[in-house]
Amino acid sequence: MNDALRHTLQQMPKAELHIHIEGSLEPELIFALARRNNVALAFESVDALRAAYAFTDLQSFLDIYYAGASVLLTEQDFYDMTRAYLLRAQQDQVRHTELFFDPQTHTARGVPMEFVINGIWRALQDAQQEWGMTGALILCFLRHLSEDDAFDTLELALPLRDKFIGVGLDSSELGHPPEKFARVFAKCRQLGLHLVAHAGEEGPPAYITSALDVLKVERIDHGVRCLEDAALTARLAHERIPLTVCPLSNLKLRVVDQLANHNLLQLLDAGLVVTVNSDDPAYFGGYMNDNFIATFEALPLTREHARVLARNSFDAAFLDGATRHKYLAEVDTFFDGQPA
Ligand code: HPA
Ligand code: ZN
């Protein structure tokens, strides 16, 4: 790729909408927190941990991801993890970020819900004050656990309702279809929470359809398997349901065998509101700009695609009208003011 396009990808304003904050824990920070908290790790060293990041599918990743998250105990730990991510995102010209967090991973170990939410929240507040970065939290239910467990988790979080804007659904997809969480999502909808769900990463297009029809989600996380169903693809385009696509994640979890075979360009050509995101950047080999650069190197994507992807990231974000308008204007000024 030429230097001008690389520079454009690096410098354009963007939003990140699919990042699991626990997936931003770098091995060095995992070891530092393990020492600070006297938590025993199954790995001898940072290098040994990194060497274990050879995933074959989603589950092989999740096993290590949950082990890594076991070092998080105090509110300060959640603050430090989030602060590190936000600093890194700021370097990539991320202006707005919607962070997924997995409370059940922590409450199951006896960590109070308020440590989790308040630590992440405080880091977002500081980033807004210091750099004007905006952000919000989305509480994810772990789909390998029961719906009753999700209800219990929601109840624990409701005293902190003003600190998260929505709920999502993540963890092991196959065998855990969206329908399993119909009642708890209906409850969240009544509460006025935004709704999203992972669907169509490893799972079939039918999971995307039921996320829309049963859970009534506003965005689909991943969703790359939608192209197997032409009617569903047309519907996603017509209803302008955004897909938060994560190219390096798809590569590392073998959803695609190589980035050159990623369907991101076909998704764009089908008229879908596609966004690019990092998912779990510490585990999948890259943050936002790494995802953009690797994808643009592998596929015949142009500067005009970069502009569409930057605009889509703000169009798909849960922003108020004025803030969305401000960010979209910033994207347009960036592209109009730059030689092509
Ligand atoms: N898919 C499902 N669950 C997850 C992921 C993912 O990519 N990352 C963290 N939890
Ligand atoms: Zn994800």
Side-chain angles (χ1 to χ4, degrees), residues 47-61:
D47 287 343
L49 178 56
R50 244 201 200 97
Y53 293 0
F55 313 118
T56 51
D57 58 8
L58 175 57
Q59 192 60 50
S60 65
F61 154 69

Side-chain angles (χ1 to χ4, degrees), residues 23 25 30 75 93 101 121 135 166 213 217 287 316 331 340:
L25 262 185
I30 290 176
E75 193 207 285
Q93 305 299 328
F101 67 108
W121 168 259
D213 291 338
V217 301
Y287 288 78
V331 172

Side-chain angles (χ1 to χ4, degrees), residues 97-313:
T97 177
E98 293 176 11
L99 304 178
F100 292 141
F101 67 108
D102 286 341
Q104 287 152 298
T105 305
H106 314 300
T107 53
R109 297 180 289 111
V111 177
M113 181 69 85
E114 20 335 337
F115 287 10
V116 179
I117 293 182
N118 288 336
I120 302 171
W121 168 259
R122 188 157 59 82
L124 278 176
Q125 293 293 105
D126 286 353
Q128 172 141 26
Q129 289 217 325
E130 291 172 43
W131 317 316
M133 191 190 272
T134 50
L137 272 67
I138 297 178
L139 182 162
C140 281
F141 299 119
L142 298 180
R143 68 203 300 159
H144 68 275
L145 300 178
S146 69
E147 189 180 41
D148 281 347
D149 206 302
F151 267 114
D152 293 344
T153 303
L154 179 63
E155 196 164 312
L156 283 176
L158 279 182
L160 301 143
R161 166 70 184 86
D162 57 328
K163 292 183 176 152
F164 59 101
I165 60 161
V167 297
L169 190 61
D170 65 2
S171 189
S172 323
E173 186 179 7
L174 287 168
H176 302 284
E179 298 88 298
K180 182 175 163 187
F181 296 92
R183 282 153 298 262
V184 74
F185 268 66
K187 170 82 181 168
C188 291
R189 192 157 177 258
Q190 279 177 3
L191 290 166
L193 288 158
H194 285 294
L195 308 177
V196 300
H198 283 53
E201 177 186 16
E202 285 189 343
Y207 283 20
I208 301 174
T209 301
S210 58
L212 295 172
D213 291 338
V214 180
L215 303 187
K216 307 202 180 298
V217 301
E218 299 158 80
R219 293 197 300 242
I220 297 287
D221 297 310
H222 294 296
V224 291
R225 288 192 60 192
C226 72
L227 291 182
E228 295 168 32
D229 181 336
L232 172 63
T233 304
R235 175 186 180 186
L236 291 167
H238 181 254
E239 296 181 13
R240 293 191 56 79
I241 305 286
L243 302 186
T244 62
V245 175
C246 307
L248 287 175
S249 166
N250 293 155
L251 178 66
K252 291 297 158 76
L253 301 188
R254 303 199 189 171
V255 171
V256 290
D257 62 345
Q258 47 179 314
L259 274 187
N261 290 332
H262 198 285
N263 64 11
L264 184 131
L265 179 53
Q266 288 148 273
L267 294 167
L268 283 168
D269 285 343
L272 301 179
V273 183
V274 176
T275 66
V276 168
N277 306 272
S278 71
D279 206 4
D280 300 282
Y283 291 90
F284 298 149
Y287 288 78
M288 279 294 265
N289 288 355
D290 302 311
N291 273 273
F292 274 106
I293 289 168
T295 306
F296 275 66
E297 273 179 340
L299 298 173
L301 291 159
T302 65
R303 183 171 187 278
E304 204 39 49
H305 291 115
R307 183 186 192 127
V308 168
L309 289 165
R311 289 188 58 94
N312 285 353
S313 73

Side-chain angles (χ1 to χ4, degrees), residues 22 25 33 37 39 65-74 77-78 81 102-113 115-116 145 156:
E22 297 91 344
L25 262 185
L33 294 178
N37 291 332
V39 174
Y65 163 82
Y66 295 129
S70 71
V71 301
L72 296 159
L73 291 184
T74 68
D77 299 339
F78 288 89
M81 168 177 68
D102 286 341
Q104 287 152 298
T105 305
H106 314 300
T107 53
R109 297 180 289 111
V111 177
M113 181 69 85
F115 287 10
V116 179
L145 300 178
L156 283 176

